[in-house]
Amino acid sequence: MKNTVVLYGSTTGNTETIAKTIARELDAAIFDVATQPTSEIHKYQNLVLGTSTLGIGDLQDDWDAFLPAFKKTELAGKKIALFGLGDADMYPDSFVDGMGIIYKAIRDKGCIIIGQTDIDGYDFDDSSALVDGKFVGLPLDEDNQSDLTDERIESWVEQIKREFD
Ligand SMILES: Cc1cc2nc3c(=O)[nH]c(=O)nc-3n(C[C@H](O)[C@H](O)[C@H](O)COP(=O)(O)O)c2cc1C
């Protein structure tokens, strides 16, 4: 999908690895938010945003620095899918909160957020990435459930391909 880009921020490399897989499966461009200016974003109609969660429920550092400029870019009419890396065993009360932080920053920008997923199969207590009992995007837990990652990505990529323009 030539009109699609994956934007990711990654501290220890997990989100980067997943972003590469998703970009390959979508045949999409890929940007690291640590190095990429927002000026290229207007070229793409479909965006996939991937982040990890650090601290206790904090957005990944590069995303944290990128988000103010990203919020100022024109997102109206674009279709956006989110994925988030987290650790439900160590951080059960802030599971994939980074994904929730990005969601809240963009939900009123006129974009269409797609790719919501069910909570089934995840063992956590709370997450700011939940809306109406569903995750706002795809959570992945490389620390505890890496064996499920491939099938989760495969099914989610099929889902977002159907919903993207
Ligand atoms: C210091 C630290 C704090 C973390 N805090 C959270 C958290 O609050 N919620 C969560 O779901 N995961 C948390 N994690 C887990 C990471 O999000 C997870 O390991 C992720 O795969 C890292 O991805 P990255 O290598 O792309 O940064 C934390 C990890 C570390 C090392």
Short mmCIF file of all heavy atoms in Angstrom, two decimals, residues 36-95:
data_model
loop_
_atom_site.label_atom_id
_atom_site.label_comp_id
_atom_site.label_asym_id
_atom_site.label_seq_id
_atom_site.Cartn_x
_atom_site.Cartn_y
_atom_site.Cartn_z
N GLN A 36 12.71 11.28 12.02
CA GLN A 36 11.92 11.68 10.87
C GLN A 36 11.17 12.98 11.13
O GLN A 36 10.47 13.09 12.14
CB GLN A 36 10.91 10.57 10.56
CG GLN A 36 10.17 10.75 9.28
CD GLN A 36 11.09 10.64 8.05
OE1 GLN A 36 12.03 9.86 8.05
NE2 GLN A 36 10.81 11.44 7.04
N PRO A 37 11.27 13.98 10.27
CA PRO A 37 10.46 15.18 10.45
C PRO A 37 9.00 14.91 10.09
O PRO A 37 8.72 13.98 9.33
CB PRO A 37 11.08 16.18 9.48
CG PRO A 37 11.68 15.34 8.41
CD PRO A 37 12.09 14.05 9.06
N THR A 38 8.10 15.72 10.60
CA THR A 38 6.68 15.53 10.31
C THR A 38 6.33 15.97 8.88
O THR A 38 5.24 15.68 8.41
CB THR A 38 5.80 16.33 11.29
OG1 THR A 38 6.24 17.68 11.27
CG2 THR A 38 5.88 15.75 12.69
N SER A 39 7.25 16.63 8.20
CA SER A 39 6.95 17.21 6.89
C SER A 39 6.60 16.17 5.83
O SER A 39 6.00 16.51 4.81
CB SER A 39 8.14 18.05 6.40
OG SER A 39 9.31 17.27 6.44
N GLU A 40 6.94 14.92 6.04
CA GLU A 40 6.66 13.87 5.05
C GLU A 40 5.25 13.27 5.20
O GLU A 40 4.76 12.59 4.31
CB GLU A 40 7.66 12.71 5.20
CG GLU A 40 9.10 13.11 4.97
CD GLU A 40 9.38 13.44 3.52
OE1 GLU A 40 9.18 12.55 2.67
OE2 GLU A 40 9.75 14.59 3.24
N ILE A 41 4.63 13.52 6.35
CA ILE A 41 3.41 12.79 6.69
C ILE A 41 2.25 13.09 5.73
O ILE A 41 1.44 12.23 5.44
CB ILE A 41 3.03 13.07 8.16
CG1 ILE A 41 4.05 12.37 9.07
CG2 ILE A 41 1.61 12.60 8.49
CD1 ILE A 41 3.95 12.72 10.52
N HIS A 42 2.23 14.31 5.21
CA HIS A 42 1.12 14.70 4.33
C HIS A 42 1.04 13.82 3.08
O HIS A 42 -0.01 13.73 2.43
CB HIS A 42 1.27 16.17 3.92
CG HIS A 42 2.41 16.41 2.99
ND1 HIS A 42 2.27 16.41 1.63
CD2 HIS A 42 3.73 16.58 3.22
CE1 HIS A 42 3.44 16.61 1.05
NE2 HIS A 42 4.35 16.71 2.00
N LYS A 43 2.13 13.12 2.75
CA LYS A 43 2.13 12.28 1.54
C LYS A 43 1.31 11.00 1.70
O LYS A 43 1.08 10.29 0.73
CB LYS A 43 3.57 11.85 1.21
CG LYS A 43 4.50 12.98 0.85
CD LYS A 43 5.88 12.42 0.56
CE LYS A 43 6.87 13.52 0.23
NZ LYS A 43 8.25 13.00 0.23
N TYR A 44 0.96 10.66 2.93
CA TYR A 44 0.34 9.36 3.20
C TYR A 44 -1.11 9.53 3.68
O TYR A 44 -1.40 10.39 4.51
CB TYR A 44 1.16 8.60 4.26
CG TYR A 44 2.57 8.34 3.78
CD1 TYR A 44 3.60 9.23 4.10
CD2 TYR A 44 2.85 7.26 2.97
CE1 TYR A 44 4.89 9.02 3.63
CE2 TYR A 44 4.14 7.04 2.49
CZ TYR A 44 5.15 7.92 2.83
OH TYR A 44 6.42 7.71 2.37
N GLN A 45 -1.97 8.67 3.19
CA GLN A 45 -3.38 8.67 3.60
C GLN A 45 -3.61 7.75 4.80
O GLN A 45 -4.46 8.00 5.63
CB GLN A 45 -4.25 8.22 2.40
CG GLN A 45 -5.67 7.81 2.74
CD GLN A 45 -6.48 8.95 3.37
OE1 GLN A 45 -6.09 10.12 3.34
NE2 GLN A 45 -7.61 8.58 3.97
N ASN A 46 -2.84 6.66 4.88
CA ASN A 46 -3.00 5.69 5.98
C ASN A 46 -1.75 5.71 6.85
O ASN A 46 -0.64 5.56 6.34
CB ASN A 46 -3.15 4.26 5.44
CG ASN A 46 -4.29 4.12 4.45
OD1 ASN A 46 -5.37 4.66 4.67
ND2 ASN A 46 -4.04 3.42 3.35
N LEU A 47 -1.95 5.88 8.16
CA LEU A 47 -0.81 5.90 9.09
C LEU A 47 -0.97 4.75 10.09
O LEU A 47 -2.06 4.51 10.59
CB LEU A 47 -0.74 7.21 9.88
CG LEU A 47 -0.82 8.54 9.11
CD1 LEU A 47 -0.65 9.71 10.08
CD2 LEU A 47 0.24 8.63 8.04
N VAL A 48 0.15 4.08 10.38
CA VAL A 48 0.19 3.09 11.47
C VAL A 48 1.17 3.64 12.49
O VAL A 48 2.33 3.93 12.15
CB VAL A 48 0.67 1.71 10.97
CG1 VAL A 48 0.68 0.71 12.12
CG2 VAL A 48 -0.20 1.20 9.83
N LEU A 49 0.71 3.84 13.73
CA LEU A 49 1.54 4.45 14.77
C LEU A 49 1.87 3.41 15.82
O LEU A 49 0.96 2.81 16.41
CB LEU A 49 0.81 5.62 15.42
CG LEU A 49 0.16 6.64 14.46
CD1 LEU A 49 -0.55 7.74 15.27
CD2 LEU A 49 1.20 7.25 13.53
N GLY A 50 3.17 3.17 16.07
CA GLY A 50 3.57 2.16 17.05
C GLY A 50 4.46 2.73 18.12
O GLY A 50 5.41 3.46 17.83
N THR A 51 4.15 2.39 19.37
CA THR A 51 4.95 2.88 20.50
C THR A 51 5.06 1.83 21.59
O THR A 51 4.18 0.97 21.70
CB THR A 51 4.33 4.16 21.10
OG1 THR A 51 5.24 4.69 22.09
CG2 THR A 51 2.99 3.88 21.78
N SER A 52 6.10 1.93 22.39
CA SER A 52 6.12 1.17 23.64
C SER A 52 5.71 2.09 24.78
O SER A 52 5.47 3.29 24.58
CB SER A 52 7.51 0.58 23.89
OG SER A 52 8.49 1.59 23.87
N THR A 53 5.61 1.50 25.97
CA THR A 53 5.30 2.26 27.18
C THR A 53 6.48 2.11 28.14
O THR A 53 6.95 1.00 28.37
CB THR A 53 4.02 1.70 27.86
OG1 THR A 53 2.94 1.80 26.93
CG2 THR A 53 3.67 2.47 29.12
N LEU A 54 6.96 3.21 28.64
CA LEU A 54 8.07 3.17 29.60
C LEU A 54 7.64 3.84 30.91
O LEU A 54 6.49 4.30 31.00
CB LEU A 54 9.31 3.86 29.01
CG LEU A 54 10.20 3.04 28.03
CD1 LEU A 54 10.68 1.75 28.70
CD2 LEU A 54 9.54 2.69 26.73
N GLY A 55 8.55 3.92 31.87
CA GLY A 55 8.20 4.48 33.17
C GLY A 55 7.03 3.70 33.74
O GLY A 55 6.96 2.48 33.62
N ILE A 56 6.09 4.40 34.36
CA ILE A 56 4.83 3.77 34.75
C ILE A 56 3.75 4.44 33.90
O ILE A 56 3.24 5.50 34.24
CB ILE A 56 4.51 3.96 36.26
CG1 ILE A 56 5.66 3.48 37.14
CG2 ILE A 56 3.20 3.24 36.61
CD1 ILE A 56 5.84 1.97 37.18
N GLY A 57 3.46 3.82 32.78
CA GLY A 57 2.43 4.36 31.90
C GLY A 57 2.86 5.57 31.09
O GLY A 57 2.03 6.35 30.63
N ASP A 58 4.18 5.73 30.88
CA ASP A 58 4.65 6.88 30.09
C ASP A 58 4.82 6.49 28.61
O ASP A 58 5.18 5.36 28.29
CB ASP A 58 6.01 7.37 30.60
CG ASP A 58 5.92 7.95 32.00
OD1 ASP A 58 4.80 8.35 32.41
OD2 ASP A 58 6.96 7.98 32.69
N LEU A 59 4.64 7.51 27.78
CA LEU A 59 4.89 7.33 26.36
C LEU A 59 6.38 7.16 26.12
O LEU A 59 7.21 7.80 26.78
CB LEU A 59 4.37 8.57 25.62
CG LEU A 59 4.39 8.57 24.09
CD1 LEU A 59 3.63 7.39 23.52
CD2 LEU A 59 3.81 9.90 23.58
N GLN A 60 6.74 6.31 25.15
CA GLN A 60 8.15 6.12 24.77
C GLN A 60 8.79 7.49 24.47
O GLN A 60 8.15 8.37 23.90
CB GLN A 60 8.19 5.19 23.55
CG GLN A 60 9.56 4.66 23.19
CD GLN A 60 10.31 5.57 22.25
OE1 GLN A 60 9.69 6.39 21.56
NE2 GLN A 60 11.62 5.45 22.22
N ASP A 61 10.05 7.67 24.84
CA ASP A 61 10.70 8.99 24.83
C ASP A 61 10.68 9.69 23.47
O ASP A 61 10.43 10.90 23.40
CB ASP A 61 12.17 8.87 25.27
CG ASP A 61 12.28 8.57 26.75
OD1 ASP A 61 11.23 8.56 27.44
OD2 ASP A 61 13.40 8.35 27.23
N ASP A 62 10.99 8.97 22.40
CA ASP A 62 11.03 9.62 21.08
C ASP A 62 9.63 10.06 20.65
O ASP A 62 9.46 11.13 20.06
CB ASP A 62 11.63 8.68 20.03
CG ASP A 62 13.04 8.24 20.41
OD1 ASP A 62 13.83 9.11 20.83
OD2 ASP A 62 13.33 7.04 20.33
N TRP A 63 8.65 9.25 20.97
CA TRP A 63 7.26 9.64 20.68
C TRP A 63 6.86 10.85 21.51
O TRP A 63 6.15 11.74 21.05
CB TRP A 63 6.30 8.48 20.96
CG TRP A 63 5.81 7.81 19.73
CD1 TRP A 63 6.06 6.54 19.33
CD2 TRP A 63 4.95 8.39 18.73
NE1 TRP A 63 5.44 6.29 18.14
CE2 TRP A 63 4.75 7.40 17.74
CE3 TRP A 63 4.36 9.63 18.56
CZ2 TRP A 63 3.96 7.63 16.62
CZ3 TRP A 63 3.58 9.87 17.43
CH2 TRP A 63 3.40 8.87 16.47
N ASP A 64 7.32 10.88 22.75
CA ASP A 64 6.99 11.99 23.65
C ASP A 64 7.51 13.30 23.05
O ASP A 64 6.82 14.33 23.10
CB ASP A 64 7.61 11.72 25.02
CG ASP A 64 7.02 12.61 26.08
OD1 ASP A 64 5.79 12.72 26.14
OD2 ASP A 64 7.80 13.22 26.83
N ALA A 65 8.71 13.25 22.48
CA ALA A 65 9.30 14.44 21.87
C ALA A 65 8.62 14.79 20.54
O ALA A 65 8.52 15.96 20.17
CB ALA A 65 10.80 14.22 21.65
N PHE A 66 8.16 13.77 19.83
CA PHE A 66 7.59 13.93 18.48
C PHE A 66 6.11 14.37 18.52
O PHE A 66 5.64 15.06 17.62
CB PHE A 66 7.70 12.57 17.77
CG PHE A 66 7.28 12.52 16.33
CD1 PHE A 66 8.08 13.06 15.34
CD2 PHE A 66 6.10 11.88 15.96
CE1 PHE A 66 7.72 12.97 14.00
CE2 PHE A 66 5.73 11.78 14.63
CZ PHE A 66 6.54 12.34 13.64
N LEU A 67 5.42 13.98 19.58
CA LEU A 67 3.96 14.14 19.61
C LEU A 67 3.48 15.59 19.45
O LEU A 67 2.52 15.82 18.71
CB LEU A 67 3.39 13.51 20.90
CG LEU A 67 1.89 13.27 20.93
CD1 LEU A 67 1.41 12.43 19.76
CD2 LEU A 67 1.48 12.61 22.25
N PRO A 68 4.11 16.59 20.08
CA PRO A 68 3.61 17.96 19.89
C PRO A 68 3.60 18.39 18.43
O PRO A 68 2.63 18.98 17.94
CB PRO A 68 4.58 18.80 20.72
CG PRO A 68 5.09 17.85 21.77
CD PRO A 68 5.19 16.51 21.08
N ALA A 69 4.68 18.07 17.69
CA ALA A 69 4.72 18.43 16.27
C ALA A 69 3.74 17.58 15.48
O ALA A 69 3.05 18.07 14.57
CB ALA A 69 6.14 18.23 15.73
N PHE A 70 3.63 16.31 15.83
CA PHE A 70 2.70 15.42 15.12
C PHE A 70 1.26 15.93 15.26
O PHE A 70 0.50 15.92 14.30
CB PHE A 70 2.83 14.00 15.68
CG PHE A 70 1.97 12.99 14.97
CD1 PHE A 70 2.23 12.63 13.66
CD2 PHE A 70 0.88 12.42 15.61
CE1 PHE A 70 1.43 11.72 13.00
CE2 PHE A 70 0.07 11.50 14.96
CZ PHE A 70 0.35 11.15 13.65
N LYS A 71 0.91 16.39 16.45
CA LYS A 71 -0.45 16.89 16.69
C LYS A 71 -0.76 18.10 15.82
O LYS A 71 -1.92 18.39 15.53
CB LYS A 71 -0.61 17.28 18.16
CG LYS A 71 -0.91 16.09 19.06
CD LYS A 71 -0.86 16.47 20.52
CE LYS A 71 -2.00 17.37 20.94
NZ LYS A 71 -1.97 17.57 22.41
N LYS A 72 0.27 18.83 15.45
CA LYS A 72 0.06 20.04 14.63
C LYS A 72 -0.06 19.72 13.14
O LYS A 72 -0.41 20.59 12.35
CB LYS A 72 1.23 21.01 14.83
CG LYS A 72 1.19 21.70 16.18
CD LYS A 72 2.18 22.86 16.23
CE LYS A 72 2.35 23.33 17.66
NZ LYS A 72 3.75 23.53 18.04
N THR A 73 0.27 18.49 12.73
CA THR A 73 0.15 18.16 11.31
C THR A 73 -1.32 17.92 10.96
O THR A 73 -2.13 17.60 11.84
CB THR A 73 0.96 16.90 10.94
OG1 THR A 73 0.45 15.80 11.66
CG2 THR A 73 2.42 17.06 11.26
N GLU A 74 -1.63 18.07 9.69
CA GLU A 74 -3.02 17.90 9.24
C GLU A 74 -3.36 16.41 9.20
O GLU A 74 -2.82 15.68 8.36
CB GLU A 74 -3.15 18.54 7.85
CG GLU A 74 -4.54 18.51 7.28
CD GLU A 74 -5.55 19.28 8.11
OE1 GLU A 74 -5.39 20.49 8.29
OE2 GLU A 74 -6.50 18.65 8.58
N LEU A 75 -4.23 15.98 10.07
CA LEU A 75 -4.59 14.56 10.12
C LEU A 75 -6.04 14.33 9.67
O LEU A 75 -6.47 13.18 9.54
CB LEU A 75 -4.42 14.01 11.55
CG LEU A 75 -3.00 14.05 12.13
CD1 LEU A 75 -3.00 13.52 13.57
CD2 LEU A 75 -2.03 13.23 11.28
N ALA A 76 -6.77 15.39 9.42
CA ALA A 76 -8.19 15.26 9.07
C ALA A 76 -8.36 14.37 7.85
O ALA A 76 -7.68 14.56 6.83
CB ALA A 76 -8.79 16.64 8.81
N GLY A 77 -9.25 13.40 7.96
CA GLY A 77 -9.56 12.50 6.85
C GLY A 77 -8.61 11.32 6.72
O GLY A 77 -8.89 10.38 5.97
N LYS A 78 -7.49 11.37 7.43
CA LYS A 78 -6.57 10.23 7.33
C LYS A 78 -7.10 9.06 8.15
O LYS A 78 -7.81 9.24 9.13
CB LYS A 78 -5.18 10.63 7.86
CG LYS A 78 -4.46 11.62 6.96
CD LYS A 78 -3.01 11.77 7.37
CE LYS A 78 -2.32 12.91 6.64
NZ LYS A 78 -2.20 12.74 5.19
N LYS A 79 -6.70 7.86 7.75
CA LYS A 79 -7.03 6.66 8.54
C LYS A 79 -5.79 6.27 9.34
O LYS A 79 -4.68 6.20 8.79
CB LYS A 79 -7.48 5.53 7.63
CG LYS A 79 -8.83 5.85 7.00
CD LYS A 79 -9.59 4.62 6.60
CE LYS A 79 -11.02 4.99 6.21
NZ LYS A 79 -11.61 3.99 5.32
N ILE A 80 -5.99 6.04 10.62
CA ILE A 80 -4.87 5.79 11.52
C ILE A 80 -5.12 4.54 12.34
O ILE A 80 -6.20 4.37 12.93
CB ILE A 80 -4.63 6.99 12.46
CG1 ILE A 80 -4.34 8.25 11.62
CG2 ILE A 80 -3.50 6.70 13.44
CD1 ILE A 80 -3.92 9.47 12.40
N ALA A 81 -4.12 3.64 12.37
CA ALA A 81 -4.17 2.44 13.20
C ALA A 81 -3.01 2.49 14.19
O ALA A 81 -1.92 2.99 13.87
CB ALA A 81 -4.04 1.20 12.31
N LEU A 82 -3.25 2.02 15.40
CA LEU A 82 -2.26 2.09 16.48
C LEU A 82 -1.84 0.70 16.92
O LEU A 82 -2.67 -0.21 16.99
CB LEU A 82 -2.87 2.80 17.70
CG LEU A 82 -3.45 4.20 17.47
CD1 LEU A 82 -4.29 4.62 18.68
CD2 LEU A 82 -2.33 5.21 17.27
N PHE A 83 -0.55 0.55 17.27
CA PHE A 83 -0.15 -0.65 18.00
C PHE A 83 0.77 -0.25 19.14
O PHE A 83 1.45 0.79 19.07
CB PHE A 83 0.48 -1.72 17.09
CG PHE A 83 1.83 -1.39 16.51
CD1 PHE A 83 2.99 -1.80 17.15
CD2 PHE A 83 1.93 -0.68 15.32
CE1 PHE A 83 4.25 -1.51 16.61
CE2 PHE A 83 3.17 -0.38 14.78
CZ PHE A 83 4.33 -0.80 15.43
N GLY A 84 0.75 -1.04 20.20
CA GLY A 84 1.51 -0.69 21.39
C GLY A 84 2.19 -1.91 22.00
O GLY A 84 1.59 -2.97 22.12
N LEU A 85 3.45 -1.72 22.35
CA LEU A 85 4.21 -2.77 23.04
C LEU A 85 4.15 -2.51 24.54
O LEU A 85 4.30 -1.38 24.98
CB LEU A 85 5.67 -2.75 22.57
CG LEU A 85 6.04 -3.45 21.27
CD1 LEU A 85 6.18 -4.94 21.49
CD2 LEU A 85 5.04 -3.19 20.16
N GLY A 86 3.97 -3.61 25.30
CA GLY A 86 3.92 -3.45 26.75
C GLY A 86 4.25 -4.75 27.44
O GLY A 86 4.55 -5.77 26.80
N ASP A 87 4.19 -4.70 28.76
CA ASP A 87 4.52 -5.85 29.60
C ASP A 87 3.43 -5.97 30.65
O ASP A 87 3.43 -5.24 31.66
CB ASP A 87 5.90 -5.62 30.23
CG ASP A 87 6.32 -6.72 31.19
OD1 ASP A 87 5.46 -7.50 31.63
OD2 ASP A 87 7.52 -6.77 31.51
N ALA A 88 2.48 -6.87 30.41
CA ALA A 88 1.30 -6.98 31.27
C ALA A 88 1.62 -7.60 32.63
O ALA A 88 0.90 -7.38 33.60
CB ALA A 88 0.22 -7.78 30.57
N ASP A 89 2.68 -8.38 32.73
CA ASP A 89 3.03 -8.99 34.02
C ASP A 89 3.66 -7.98 34.97
O ASP A 89 3.29 -7.90 36.13
CB ASP A 89 4.03 -10.15 33.80
CG ASP A 89 3.32 -11.44 33.48
OD1 ASP A 89 2.11 -11.39 33.16
OD2 ASP A 89 3.98 -12.50 33.53
N MET A 90 4.61 -7.20 34.46
CA MET A 90 5.33 -6.24 35.31
C MET A 90 4.51 -4.97 35.53
O MET A 90 4.66 -4.30 36.55
CB MET A 90 6.67 -5.86 34.66
CG MET A 90 7.72 -6.93 34.74
SD MET A 90 8.41 -7.03 36.40
CE MET A 90 9.54 -5.65 36.36
N TYR A 91 3.70 -4.60 34.55
CA TYR A 91 2.98 -3.32 34.60
C TYR A 91 1.49 -3.55 34.31
O TYR A 91 0.94 -2.99 33.35
CB TYR A 91 3.58 -2.34 33.59
CG TYR A 91 5.06 -2.13 33.79
CD1 TYR A 91 6.00 -2.89 33.09
CD2 TYR A 91 5.53 -1.19 34.71
CE1 TYR A 91 7.37 -2.72 33.30
CE2 TYR A 91 6.89 -1.01 34.93
CZ TYR A 91 7.80 -1.78 34.22
OH TYR A 91 9.16 -1.61 34.42
N PRO A 92 0.82 -4.34 35.16
CA PRO A 92 -0.58 -4.72 34.85
C PRO A 92 -1.55 -3.55 34.94
O PRO A 92 -2.64 -3.62 34.36
CB PRO A 92 -0.90 -5.77 35.92
CG PRO A 92 0.05 -5.50 37.03
CD PRO A 92 1.31 -4.97 36.39
N ASP A 93 -1.16 -2.46 35.64
CA ASP A 93 -2.08 -1.33 35.78
C ASP A 93 -1.84 -0.23 34.75
O ASP A 93 -2.57 0.77 34.73
CB ASP A 93 -1.98 -0.73 37.19
CG ASP A 93 -2.43 -1.73 38.24
OD1 ASP A 93 -3.49 -2.35 38.03
OD2 ASP A 93 -1.70 -1.91 39.24
N SER A 94 -0.82 -0.37 33.95
CA SER A 94 -0.53 0.66 32.93
C SER A 94 -0.17 -0.03 31.61
O SER A 94 0.68 0.45 30.87
CB SER A 94 0.60 1.58 33.38
OG SER A 94 1.78 0.83 33.69
N PHE A 95 -0.87 -1.13 31.35
CA PHE A 95 -0.53 -1.94 30.18
C PHE A 95 -0.77 -1.15 28.88
O PHE A 95 -1.87 -0.63 28.67
CB PHE A 95 -1.35 -3.23 30.19
CG PHE A 95 -1.05 -4.16 29.04
CD1 PHE A 95 0.25 -4.53 28.73
CD2 PHE A 95 -2.08 -4.67 28.27
CE1 PHE A 95 0.52 -5.38 27.67
CE2 PHE A 95 -1.83 -5.52 27.21
CZ PHE A 95 -0.52 -5.87 26.91
#
